[in-house]
Amino acid sequence: QTDGALLKAARPIKGVVRAAVANNCTMGRSAFHCAKAPPALPEPARFADLLEAHHETYPIGGDVDVRADGDDGSVRIRWRTRRMPRAKGPPVPVLMAAMEHHRALGLCGAEGEALTHSGVFHRNINGALSAVAGNEWRVPYALLPVGWHSRHGVAEDRKGAILAALAQDAGWDLPVNYRFGAGDPYNAGKMLQRTA
């Protein structure tokens, strides 16, 4: 039970139950989700048809593949799905929620094809979500170039402090207990970094 809405089974259930809120203003009490200031009448279920069209396919997990090629990167997500036991007709793609930054980066299908997007159907602390239909997503990233030199150079007023720190590190060595293998491994990573 949540805020007055109750879902109760008439008898024991074995298997999968799917439930969705077609509009977050169902109860008319959310100042964040309702178009009118609460208390307001519940708003139309704008996404009921979209949810109904994809209700037969549900996610059970996903496989993530991260790749980089030069200055281009991509994250590929293959959703693992199942169908409802009484599903009929050809399989439909799973409906998932995408964040604003996914769309801004160019969220698309595996081969770059456009995916079916809804309008904003939900808002949370991270921003606006849209419903996206597709069993495989690809999010391209333009990677920042990484090199040995600063892109903007070292500020003149910082050079002295940097050179002094480098001179101090140049003469540094591992403490004796670490050299004999008796150091606390908690700090080992930091000390190995200093010896690099």
Side-chain angles (χ1 to χ4, degrees), residues 89 118 157:
S118 73
D157 61 333

Side-chain angles (χ1 to χ4, degrees), residues 157-172:
D157 61 333
R158 307 286 176 132
K159 285 184 178 178
I162 292 171
L163 290 171
L166 289 172
Q168 184 178 354
D169 275 356
W172 183 86

Side-chain angles (χ1 to χ4, degrees), residues 64-67 73-77 107 137-141:
V64 179
D65 181 38
V66 180
R67 296 185 180 224
S74 69
V75 175
R76 191 173 293 225
I77 305 170
L107 171 65
W137 290 9
R138 186 165 63 85
V139 182
Y141 288 87

Side-chain angles (χ1 to χ4, degrees), residues 82-121:
R82 286 190 182 147
R83 296 184 74 199
M84 297 297 281
R86 295 186 178 127
K88 298 176 183 176
V92 294
V94 68
L95 190 68
M96 301 293 286
M99 298 295 300
E100 287 180 290
H101 67 274
H102 295 142
R103 298 188 307 274
L105 288 166
L107 171 65
C108 59
E111 304 303 324
E113 71 277 14
L115 297 174
T116 303
H117 290 249
S118 73
V120 173
F121 81 101

